[in-house]
Amino acid sequence: MRKLLLYAGIVLLCLTTGCEYKDIDRRIFVVAIGIDPGEEKAFKVSLKLAVPQGEVTKIDEKMLIVTEESDSISEALRLMKSKVEKELDYVHCKSIVIGEELAVGDIRHILDWAVRRRDIQLILNFAIGRPAGLDVLKVKPPSERIPSNSLIMAMSGEGTESPFIASVYSYKLMRDMYEQGKDPILPIIEAEGETRFQIDKIALLDEHKIQLVLNPEETRLFNLLTRPNLKTNFPAKVDESEFQYYTESSTSNYKITTASTGAPVIRYKIKIKGIVEENSTQELITHPLLEKISEAGGEELKQSVEALLEKIKDKRLDPFGWGLRYGTRHWNNETEARDWEALYPDLKFEVTAAVRVKYSGLIK
Amino acid sequence: MPAQQKPDEVTVQGIKEKLDNFADLENRELTAASGTGRLLFIKSITDPQIINRSIIAVFYEMNDPAAFAEYLAHYPGSKAVEDGKQAMDLMLGGYACVEVEGRLIFFDALKAETSGVSETVTESITQGPSDALTENLAVNLNLIRRRYQSAELKMESMLLGNISRTKAAILYDDSRVNHQVLEELRQRLQTLRIDMLQASGELEKYISSDKIRIFPKTIVTERPDRVVFNLAEGKIAILLDTTGFAMILPVIFNDFFVAMDDKIQLPFVGRFLKLLRIMGVAMTLWLPALYVAFTSYNPEIIRVQIALLIAGSRATVPYPSFVEVLLMLIMMEFLTEASLRLPRAIGPTATTVGGLILGQAATAAGLVGNIMIILVSVVAISNFMIPLNMMSFSIRVLKYLFVMAAAAVGLVGVVVCLVGFTMYLCSQRSFGQPYFKMFVLDSLGASDSKKGGGS
Amino acid sequence: MNQNRYLYWMFLMNSLLNILNFVPRELLDARFKGAQTSILVATVLGTVFLSVFTLLIAKFPGKGIQDILETALPKGVIIPLMIMFSSLWCVAGLITILSFVDITLRFVSPDTGPHLVILSFLVLVCFCARMDSLSVLYGMEMMLAIILPLIVYAIVKALVNPDFSWDSVLQIVTYSAHAPDWKSIAAATFSFSGYFNMVVFNRVLPKIKMKHSWIFAVNGLAVLLLTFYVPIGYFGTIGVERHVYTWFSTADSIRINTFIVERMLFVFYFAYLTLSLVSVTVHWHVGKELLTGLFRSRKQAKARTKLWRDLSALALFSGITIAFMGLDQYQLNQFGVVFLYARWAGELFMIMLLFYCYAVAYRRRNA
């Protein structure tokens, strides 16, 4: 009796297995999705598929891009199922690139889809593709061995630590999009031909669409203000000589002070410890000169940061979350949002940049 | 003959009382025309030749107790003792106690049994003693008594098996043993009805009450130092004549992961080694199952780079992953079993042919993935990190259960199996003692053994 | 090591388990209203319940709840009481299982059918819940030791993420000046109700004593605050309400840089699946003991009859679970909320019963 049960169990087990799963080699992984406005329909969805390699030692990356147009994203994906022989698997999708044309409209639909779908990660990079999402997907750097790996590496900061890249995961995009008093940002990826891309700009969005695009200079400053220890270099001009100093450590924080009378002031405090990296003249760097570099660097930084903040303010954007910060310091929850709205146009900025260049590098 | 003239109560009677329950204690009366004497010694550690030639023969030849006493007292290696403790030490150290003419003389008759003792085979260690138990019960007792010179080490002997009449010795430290367990063991041995008993492992099967036994509930070891180490922890050892293995009980799960070198190594090294073994068990149990789960059900868990690597290595494999895993695992089992039976000279050839060539060819032919080969090797190696064979065999079989669970429901199956495995271990009792739990030290307390299922 | 640690493990298990489903959802729904004051009130109430209950049950060392009630109440009252309490535990386990089947299908194995998943859970739980009480406790301790480091790792990793929005958390803190509401309190006290399992485990833990109740309070409060604030830090003050399985989505937002598993979700899933299975085992073990206790006869029952009794009790629980599988997301949530209330009322009722029994015993002794 006992043995019979055991046999029955084994047979049942064998029956249940083998019918419900797909082996890894019967799936094809989508590593990136590009979404552009279609020519006839609402969306043109492109998928970048990773084709696994049998021979690991061979450096030969294979990838496949399939494109489909439809009025809804899911419909486009379903249609694409019949274009490949294996099951499309989205669990390893690491980036969604939205075409710029689409992003000036409304991206909430796409975000909603990406967060709602169970098999798409919340740690997936959202970005804007220039000129279009498809073009970015098509980029295939020669150094790349795993499809789309270069994009993943660049965006996650595991590979390059560029000061111009700001990565935005989908959970963050969603948080900032719905948050009261904070506006989302998205990095812009520009495709340059078939083999290179460039990520050095940030698009600032209001609730749902692009309002302002920062140039690389501003992007770097933006990153300096939003994350600690940005590794980059800034210029400093003393007399006629141009210096560049490398930031070994950087911090920035701000306070919003609203005096009972007068305009509210946002005081930014930036602290940088640096090391001289480049000197355009042959001058020996002495201690007084080092101090001068620090001072000049700080002054220059202050100017450019203030310019950036003013520019953002003119567009009535809030990518730093000033409004939210204002809310955290006020307990009048019913009225604080309206208060902030009223105060916003009168905002003043005060930036203090404490740059301390401590070393002259290996030579004086 | 009364012995009241000894000032400090060292009497034959006293010694006998202390060595109560020593089945190998010999107590002889020497009677000659001119007087009597008494001879007391522990058989297993004394040399009968010395006793015969130097004591008994001389006693009858002299036929004069007083002169015999003088003779003994002046014999090199004989001792008179001051107190009971010393007397006990000498007795356990292989001295014979002779009482003649009211004098108590201790005579060195230690049997140095070295000839038959061979080196350990199944439980080798890098440093430390390497003698193994032999097939001779007396030799084994000698090996143990020499390492455990305490009056508390009691021995009971009995014959097991209607036909084989195997001599069995139950050893325990009276002051440390859990008497409840001892009583239970006695009871189980008494009710034993078998014809043949040839090995210690067999005995475990008979005295355990469970029908399904997945994990060994007793340690079977060939190392006398392990026996002694466990005796000192309050466990019971059963020695059987004709087998070179001792059985130790009750045991807990952790005991199977103690190698005897752990004590010799520096403390942090010992801990590291133990950690390695536990990691080894985890690896050998989980790796094949996780491979099946990851490739068939949940490729989303591993990062994309690895997923693509696995997918690439499996590109040519024509069957589902669990078939691949089972195929390779069984191949590996063949290899282990085959190299076990092969003569020593051919063993390495089999491993080379099987391991290297077969693995290489299988991947080249596209029947299994590269990653699978790595995995199987890791599983095979880590399986043998467990110092005691019984456990390592249990684990070897159990990993198939995990693979089946993974093949049925993926990662969920692996986790369910893991929880079931742990809970099952926790529900086990070895002779009423919890088999697997945290903070094992207090498990020897009586309160916990009140309730218990299993054996 | 004294036996009090088992009380702590029971407490910790429930407290960690609250993250799973209903509690964070209820609290986060009330985040602009009274969730935060409710957490504080619940901490006080929960600790008081826990201390009073443990003090009372410690007066009856080595006795299960049925033995205790039999000293003071007639048999006719005890039977419905026992059935009621055992159904409470049955539902506690059932909700955990159903939620986890849902989560599994949502996050991990959409390919495997729900029936296979629930079947494997039920088989395991029935197998484990049948073990004797001490083994269940040992097993619980062991599993907690395995998964606690993982949970702590996940929480630390969540908090050190530079993308964690502390401003959102602070913003919610400014909403704390609201009166507590019943729904949130009922939800938050769930975090403390692990002690309730003592009704059965008291039989095997005769030496339990109520000591250091502040540890429970601090621990419970910390877990509740983490439960509440961490998702806000990831999804913002407003976006957070859009997530169904808030904590699993939170875990999905954490990335592990240096491991073969990249998504924290799966580490978290592994830890919580284990925790849930152990917790269901414990709950159903209690439920089973309460139910089979009714059929206890004077003389020792044979092992075989005991086996059949255990199995039929557990089969009943499993059957109920499968019957409830048809609920959709919102109905399940509704059901969970009702359970949160019922459990709380049950706790209060049990404490009153115990108090009555103690009073009777006290009077008898002094009479």
Side-chain angles (χ1 to χ4, degrees), chain A residues 104-157:
Chain A
V104 294
D106 193 343
I107 64 164
R108 275 182 299 190
H109 179 161
I110 299 166
L111 178 68
D112 183 275
W113 166 81
V115 177
R116 195 178 293 274
R117 258 194 86 118
R118 60 151 290 275
D119 53 353
I120 293 183
Q121 315 182 355
L122 281 177
I123 41 172
L124 152 147
N125 286 299
F126 260 88
I128 288 170
R130 222 180 223 185
L134 180 58
D135 296 296
V136 173
L137 294 199
K138 276 185 184 156
V139 169
K140 182 187 160 197
S143 60
E144 191 176 71
R145 289 187 50 184
I146 297 168
S148 193
N149 200 22
S150 49
L151 206 55
I152 299 172
M153 297 274 266
M155 297 302 281
S156 67

Side-chain angles (χ1 to χ4, degrees), chain A residues 2 13 17 21-27 29 31 50 52-54 56 89 91-92 94 118 146-147 149 152 158, chain B residues 212 294-297 299-300 302-305 307-314 317 319-322 404 407-408:
Chain A
R2 203 174 274 261
L13 198 72
T17 60
Y21 66 83
K22 285 220 164 47
D23 266 312
I24 200 166
D25 44 309
R26 303 217 177 125
R27 307 184 196 211
F29 292 109
V31 282
Q53 291 282 263
V56 187
D89 198 329
V91 290
H92 280 308
K94 298 298 280 181
R118 60 151 290 275
I146 297 168
N149 200 22
I152 299 172
E158 262 177 90
Chain B
I212 308 167
F294 288 167
T295 51
S296 293
Y297 285 93
E300 66 263 37
I302 35 180
R303 52 179 61 214
V304 55
Q305 290 91 341
L308 288 175
L309 269 182
I310 294 179
S313 90
R314 267 187 58 79
V317 181
Y319 28 70
S321 65
F322 84 96
M404 290 316 279

Side-chain angles (χ1 to χ4, degrees), chain C residues 23-45:
Chain C
V23 180
R25 208 178 297 158
E26 288 313 311
L27 289 177
L28 287 170
D29 278 350
R31 67 195 180 285
F32 290 131
K33 285 172 260 156
Q36 293 166 89
T37 38
S38 302
I39 286 176
L40 289 177
V41 172
T43 306
V44 175
L45 280 179

